[in-house]
Amino acid sequence: MIKPSIFLMILILIGFVVGIITYNQSPLLFSLLIQVNYFVLRGDYLSLITSILVTNSFTDFIFNFISMWVIYYLFGSKAGKFEIVVFFISGILGNLLTLALFPPFTASAGASGGIFGVLSFYIIDDMLQFSRLDWNGLGLLIIVFVLSDIIPGVNYVAHIGGILGGILLALGRKRFLTTHYQK
């Protein structure tokens, strides 16, 4: 069985290939696959999901691909298939914040909101599991956030939304597990 982090890396690769092909062959289709706030406000809700994966930027692709590999190296997909849920819910939350806070003709694409969600989920999940504040994990999250957001054109709002999604899902999962599976 393929590990969820590896599965997400494959989806990120496929999204990049789709992004390159559609950008070059059908710019209109490309603009419907990424998030263009104007189109979402007029009913293109599917792009809130497809834009998490589709990008035509090699830089965006390679950073996201490597980031998922690092997350896999650090955490080993220990959340199982729930990691995929965290990735997409966090990415969607980042996209919704982008929709709410940026002008209508803003375009956004890439997996970084979902990746920040997975990273923050694992950091908070570890803190909850071991009942301790993890300064190393929080420091890593802050450093990655700051370094990624100094790159021009990066959607820091999607990153913030992803982080919030990961935190909320870690807290919700902990609450669910303690409520339904008490010893």
Side-chain angles (χ1 to χ4, degrees):
M1 178 103 186
I2 190 167
K3 298 284 188 178
S5 296
I6 305 301
F7 176 73
L8 290 171
M9 290 170 66
I10 292 167
L11 288 180
I12 290 167
L13 173 62
I14 292 169
F16 174 63
V17 171
V18 168
I20 291 294
I21 291 169
T22 57
Y23 180 78
N24 290 313
Q25 299 298 317
S26 177
L28 176 61
L29 178 58
F30 177 76
S31 68
L32 294 173
L33 291 173
I34 66 169
Q35 178 177 335
V36 178
N37 286 352
Y38 179 82
F39 294 148
V40 175
L41 292 169
R42 278 150 186 74
D44 181 25
Y45 305 120
L46 184 60
S47 69
L48 293 171
I49 299 168
T50 58
S51 65
I52 296 169
L53 299 171
V54 174
T55 184
N56 67 330
S57 165
F58 180 75
T59 304
D60 190 33
F61 157 70
I62 202 69
F63 276 127
N64 289 337
F65 192 83
I66 291 170
S67 296
M68 274 314 305
W69 181 83
V70 169
I71 289 170
Y72 175 67
Y73 177 78
L74 292 174
F75 300 102
S77 290
K78 69 180 185 175
K81 293 177 184 174
F82 192 65
E83 181 178 307
I84 297 167
V85 173
V86 171
F87 176 82
F88 280 104
I89 289 177
S90 298
I92 291 168
L93 182 56
N95 285 345
L96 290 172
L97 282 179
T98 298
L99 183 65
L101 298 176
F102 283 128
F105 290 102
T106 299
S108 180
S112 54
I115 291 169
F116 269 102
V118 172
L119 179 60
S120 63
F121 170 84
Y122 279 131
I123 290 168
I124 299 301
D125 188 60
D126 277 357
M127 289 175 21
L128 294 170
Q129 180 181 356
F130 298 111
S131 299
R132 65 175 170 79
L133 190 58
D134 180 5
W135 290 107
N136 292 328
L138 291 174
L140 172 67
L141 183 62
I142 291 167
I143 289 168
V144 171
F145 177 79
V146 169
L147 289 177
S148 69
D149 292 329
I150 61 173
I151 299 169
V154 169
N155 184 349
Y156 67 91
V157 170
H159 295 178
I160 292 169
I163 291 168
L164 292 174
I167 292 169
L168 292 172
L169 288 165
L171 294 171
R173 180 174 183 237
K174 173 71 172 179
R175 182 176 172 102
F176 176 81
L177 293 175
T178 55
T179 303
H180 291 88
Y181 298 99
Q182 293 179 356
K183 293 182 180 179

